Amino acid sequence: MNITQKKVFSMLKKVLTGYKKSFFSLVKIFIIVALCMTLAFAIVFPLWKFATSLPKVYTYCILTFLALAAIFLIAKAIKKNSLKTVLLTFLNILIITIGSVLCVFFVFIGYRFYALISLAVFLVIKGLLRFGIKDK
């Protein structure tokens, strides 16, 4: 075998090795996608069956789970920060939610002036909470 044939076989070996790596990468991707689909089906199908067969019980279970998760997150936040910081954050979220809902509600029922007033009150309360009450 001369040098040219060795170079050709070397290049051919590199090309085949590259194709082999690409093929096994595609196989790995296919296996991961198949596992994800199987796991998703295994989780979602029983939940769907439960939700369609007993919707009220499912709703209560989900609401209980969400309430427990919220309690856990609040307790974790209180452990991490001071109680005052957690309450101020909660009040911020509550004020933003109530102000937005009231403003949109008044616009939808046609009372745009009340929407403007609720927006102004919301901004004043938000400003007082943000800049009037110090965290420390």
Side-chain angles (χ1 to χ4, degrees):
M1 237 199 274
N2 61 22
I3 294 181
T4 308
Q5 288 176 336
K6 286 183 182 180
K7 285 184 181 180
V8 169
F9 282 125
S10 175
M11 279 194 334
L12 187 58
K13 185 176 179 182
K14 287 180 183 178
V15 169
L16 290 177
T17 304
Y19 278 128
K20 182 179 173 183
K21 286 182 182 179
S22 297
F23 174 74
F24 282 115
S25 293
L26 287 175
V27 169
K28 285 179 190 177
I29 290 171
F30 177 74
I31 290 172
I32 290 172
V33 168
L35 285 174
C36 286
M37 288 174 58
T38 305
L39 185 64
F41 181 78
I43 292 171
V44 170
F45 181 73
L47 288 174
W48 170 78
K49 192 70 171 162
F50 181 38
T52 55
S53 61
L54 300 167
K56 286 186 179 182
V57 176
Y58 177 78
T59 301
Y60 292 136
C61 287
I62 293 298
L63 288 176
T64 303
F65 174 75
L66 290 175
L68 290 174
I71 290 169
F72 171 75
L73 290 174
I74 290 170
K76 188 177 172 184
I78 290 173
K79 269 181 131 176
K80 189 176 181 182
N81 301 316
S82 68
L83 181 61
K84 185 177 181 181
T85 304
V86 173
L87 287 176
L88 286 176
T89 303
F90 178 72
L91 274 175
N92 263 329
I93 293 170
L94 187 68
I95 289 172
I96 290 171
T97 303
I98 291 173
S100 302
V101 167
L102 272 177
C103 190
V104 169
F105 173 74
F106 284 135
V107 168
F108 280 163
I109 63 172
Y111 295 125
R112 288 179 180 84
F113 181 70
Y114 291 136
L116 189 63
I117 291 174
S118 70
L119 182 65
V121 170
F122 156 71
L123 289 174
V124 167
I125 293 174
K126 178 71 174 112
L128 285 173
L129 186 64
R130 174 73 173 111
F131 303 112
I133 301 174
K134 297 297 178 194
D135 192 23
K136 295 181 180 179

